[in-house]
Structure formats: C-alpha cells, structure tokens
Amino acid sequence: MTTTETPAVHSPAADEAASAGRTLRAVKVMWQREWIRFSRNKMRILMGMITPMMFLLILGTGLNGTVGGADYRAYLFPGVLLMAVQSPAMAVGISIVWDRQSGFLRQMLVAPVRRGALLAGLCLGGATTGAVYGLLVLLVAGYAGIPYGPELLLGLLEVALVAFTFTAIGVLAAVRIRRIDTFQIVVGIAVMPMLFLSGAMFPVGGLPAWLGTAVLLNPLTYGVDALRRTLPGDLDLGGSAVGPRWWDWTPPVLLEVGIVALIAFVALAAATRRFARAD
C-alpha cells in the first residue's frame, strides 16, 4: 500500500509572519554589526569625544566671561551634545561606502530581506552609539552649570533621535557616493554650516533675513532648541537666546522633536529607494 505525502500548505499569515521575522533579524544583525565595530574600537570612542570636549572646556571656558554674567558653557552644552553624535553618523556612512568597494554591499542586496530593514538596522546602530557619546557628555553636565536630574534622561532620548537622523542623512549620502574621501568632504562641508546655523554656538535672532531662513530650514536648529528647552538650568544666556520662530510663534518641544523624526523618516525612505538600485 503506497501513501502520498500531502504538500505543505503555506497560509498568507504564516508567510507574513516569516517575512516579519526575517526583517527583525536583519535589523538586529545590522545593529549588532555597528555596535561591535563601535565597542571594539576604543580609540574611535576617544577621538570622537575630543572635539566636543575641546569646544566645551576651551571655547566655552574662554568665552564664559564675555557674555554679561550668563554662563556661556551652559548655552553651548546642547550644541556640544549634538556635535558628539556626528562621529558615529559619519562612521556608518563610511562603512557603507567601504562595503560597496569591498563587494559586501552586493551581498547585502541579494539577501532575502527588505532593503529598508538593512538601513534601519544601520541607523539604529548609529543612534545607539550616538546615545553612548551623548551619555559620556552628559556626565560632565555639572561643569557647564547644568544640574543633574531626570531631565537629562529626556535629553538623552532627544540626542538618540538626532543621532538617528544624522545617521539617516549620512546613509542617504553614502548610498549615492562611491568614494570614501569624497563622502568625508561632502559630509564635512554640509555638517559645519548646519552646526553654526543652528543656534548651537551663538544666538541666531539677530541674523539677516536670508540667514534666518537658512536657520529655519536647518533640521539641527530644532534639535538644539528642543535640548535647550528640555535640559535643566539657564541655557538661554539669561533670556537673550531665542529659538526658531514661525511668524512670531515658537513651536513647542514636541513639534520640534516631530520635525526631527520626520526628517529622519524622509532621509531613510529616500536612502532605501536608492539603496535598492545600488550596484
């Protein structure tokens, strides 16, 4: 007597669950890849902290007595926090350009997972390492006259979001640029104007109209202002520093955080679309 095997029947729900599982595993693997790179390179961590600490300890201390009794170090501190997350964002972008040159990028593209999952994992890795940098900077908040309190945890979450956004923008640039040196030049040229036109270094209220428009279009402006209004203490130079204003209306912190998140989503979506056609 012969028996026939019944072919396995795959329901749409099972296929969808399996696809979701592969997507989550891909995100986890890419996140772990970036975390391992970060945790195994102690020199990278040290070098990433040098520039923000120099701004805080040298520039902040040097200009502290020139702002009419206000604490310039406290004003500078949100900008220093966001300055610290630039290093991991650039590192993720460089890794993508390097993966293209080494051929690993092509292997990623043939994997049976969604392209967005791969890039989302990379961006989460950049956000995690950026949050670590932010935590290290927050440890010296007392030097800038910022009291230690639960508000610092909210500030750390905002730093992680900005780190995710920076990484998404860096990934968008990386999937379009084929050479590491070109990527470093392009990102370096783009980041410095964003930093100076964000209110991180000086109040932007007195800028001419054309520069004021650039400030409002700068996504970093809203990240800096959200941090300045979240962290405890007097961070606005005694009231002389104001945040972005839309027709005499100041957007609330939640809206500023939403703007930063929206920019991250748009950059990641654009990078995913371009990444699917990368060779």
Side-chain angles (χ1 to χ4, degrees):
M1 181 177 180
T2 60
T3 59
T4 59
E5 296 182 356
T6 302
V9 178
H10 297 281
S11 66
D15 292 340
E16 186 174 344
S19 176
R22 288 194 300 269
T23 298
L24 291 177
R25 285 194 297 272
V27 172
K28 179 182 177 181
V29 167
M30 300 310 295
W31 174 85
Q32 286 180 329
R33 183 169 180 255
E34 291 305 314
W35 177 253
I36 291 173
R37 281 182 172 180
F38 169 77
S39 60
R40 290 183 177 179
N41 193 342
K42 302 301 188 294
M43 184 58 65
R44 171 185 161 186
I45 299 174
L46 177 62
M47 297 302 295
M49 292 297 297
I50 287 179
T51 299
M53 287 297 98
M54 286 181 60
F55 269 82
L56 181 62
L57 301 179
I58 299 177
L59 181 64
T61 303
L63 296 179
N64 197 43
T66 65
V67 291
D71 195 339
Y72 180 72
R73 291 171 301 185
Y75 172 82
L76 185 64
F77 193 76
V80 170
L81 269 173
L82 298 191
M83 192 183 303
V85 308
Q86 296 175 12
S87 177
M90 183 174 291
V92 172
I94 290 175
S95 71
I96 291 178
V97 180
W98 176 255
D99 288 340
R100 175 185 282 113
Q101 294 182 355
S102 65
F104 182 73
L105 182 63
R106 187 180 297 275
Q107 299 177 24
M108 293 170 60
L109 288 173
V110 299
V113 294
R114 296 177 180 176
R115 306 296 180 256
L118 299 174
L119 295 187
L122 290 173
C123 291
L124 286 174
T128 303
T129 56
V132 173
Y133 279 109
L135 178 61
L136 294 175
V137 175
L138 285 173
L139 292 178
V140 299
Y143 175 78
I146 298 175
Y148 295 99
E151 296 91 345
L152 297 184
L153 296 178
L154 293 177
L156 184 60
L157 293 177
E158 293 172 352
V159 168
L161 175 61
V162 174
F164 186 92
T165 304
F166 261 127
T167 308
I169 295 174
V171 166
L172 176 59
V175 297
R176 294 177 175 271
I177 299 175
R178 296 176 178 272
R179 297 177 60 89
I180 293 178
D181 52 351
T182 304
F183 174 82
Q184 292 175 320
I185 292 173
V186 170
V187 172
I189 292 176
V191 165
M192 291 309 295
M194 288 175 62
L195 184 64
F196 284 117
L197 292 175
S198 66
M201 301 297 172
F202 53 84
V204 296
L207 294 177
W210 64 278
L211 279 179
T213 302
V215 169
L216 293 178
L217 295 177
N218 182 4
L220 194 56
T221 299
Y222 303 97
V224 170
D225 190 61
L227 270 172
R228 184 164 287 131
R229 295 162 64 181
T230 300
L231 296 177
D234 182 11
L235 281 69
D236 58 356
L237 288 180
S240 61
V242 296
R245 296 182 65 83
W246 300 345
W247 298 282
D248 296 327
W249 179 70
T250 301
V253 172
L254 284 179
L255 179 57
E256 292 180 324
V257 171
I259 291 172
V260 176
L262 176 62
I263 292 171
F265 174 80
V266 172
L268 182 58
T272 299
R273 183 176 181 181
R274 180 64 180 87
F275 186 59
R277 301 196 303 268
D279 54 9

